[in-house]
Amino acid sequence: LVEVKRQASVVEEEVLLVQRNPMLSRYAPALDEVPELLRGRGVRSRLLADGTAAKLASVGERRGLQEWAVAASDPIAHIVRLHTSRVHVLVGAHGGALAFAAFLPPGAALIELSPTGWRQQCNVGWDRNPYSLYGSWCASAGLRHKCLMDGGIGFMSTIRNLEAGRAIVVQEAFLQGNISLSATEIFDAVMDAIT
């Protein structure tokens, strides 16, 4: 039995932004700029790095999309901090870190950043993805959900392959593509969530 003690310092952020490691897919460079934009509007936020990347095997030994693993440092501490915080908006790229949304208070919002790939899983607008992983999760937990999808590098590579008559793998474009949404697009979605 593990006893988790309530931390003395309660996290005061209204917005928690989770950034993936730049060595992994679905990295969103503009996410690093959003806290400053929010600060300009008087909104408290925190940018949290999503673990550390560890090379599992060399490219020659193992092929495929899962060459890296992310090891979160003390996930129980993250859960306790989130549960005792004033976070009302969680923002991050599609991935396991968004599961922390389960510990947000009812009525909070999850903003999922997605590279181009599965349009049917990322419809524009609030609560328009009832059959996507996190859209369904949020609906069940009483949270609001918004998915933002970009037309980044993965998308352009896919278009070039289609135009050249080459086969494409949609899942691969989705998992390997980084997110090229602008800081303003992400900021606007956060402001929409808190107003």
Side-chain angles (χ1 to χ4, degrees):
L1 183 63
V2 177
E3 181 180 333
V4 178
K5 295 181 180 177
R6 186 179 172 120
Q7 294 181 351
S9 62
V10 175
V11 180
E12 298 292 332
E13 297 87 25
E14 295 175 15
V15 179
L16 180 61
L17 305 123
V18 180
Q19 178 65 285
R20 291 177 61 87
N21 189 299
M23 294 188 297
L24 300 174
S25 64
R26 296 176 310 231
Y27 174 68
L31 196 58
D32 296 337
E33 302 168 30
V34 175
E36 187 171 330
L37 295 173
L38 292 170
R39 194 172 20 263
R41 289 285 188 93
V43 177
R44 288 179 290 194
S45 66
R46 179 172 182 221
L47 184 65
L48 178 68
D50 181 21
T52 58
K55 187 76 167 159
L56 291 179
S58 72
V59 176
E61 295 172 22
R62 182 178 178 164
R63 296 175 195 257
L65 301 174
Q66 305 302 324
E67 294 176 28
W68 299 88
V70 175
S73 59
D74 197 3
I76 298 296
H78 287 313
I79 291 168
V80 170
R81 288 185 75 210
L82 189 57
H83 186 69
T84 60
S85 74
R86 294 183 184 174
V87 172
H88 295 290
V89 182
L90 175 62
V91 182
H94 175 88
L98 298 188
F100 284 110
F103 301 98
L104 292 172
L110 172 65
I111 299 174
E112 177 182 1
L113 310 178
S114 176
T116 301
W118 295 329
R119 287 261 176 226
Q120 70 274 19
Q121 299 296 316
C122 187
N123 296 305
V124 176
W126 286 101
D127 304 318
R128 301 218 31 234
N129 300 283
Y131 303 109
S132 73
L133 175 63
Y134 292 111
S136 173
W137 186 308
C138 287
S140 296
L143 304 174
R144 298 175 63 211
H145 173 262
K146 184 171 193 168
C147 186
L148 298 176
M149 184 178 283
D150 74 348
I153 295 168
F155 177 71
M156 295 312 295
S157 174
T158 299
I159 294 299
R160 283 192 293 279
N161 284 335
L162 281 172
E163 289 172 345
R166 291 185 286 247
I168 62 163
V169 179
V170 173
Q171 181 182 13
E172 192 171 295
F174 178 75
L175 291 175
Q176 289 186 339
N178 283 335
I179 296 167
S180 61
L181 289 162
S182 72
T184 303
E185 290 173 292
I186 299 167
F187 168 77
D188 288 344
V190 170
M191 293 307 293
D192 189 33
I194 61 177
T195 54

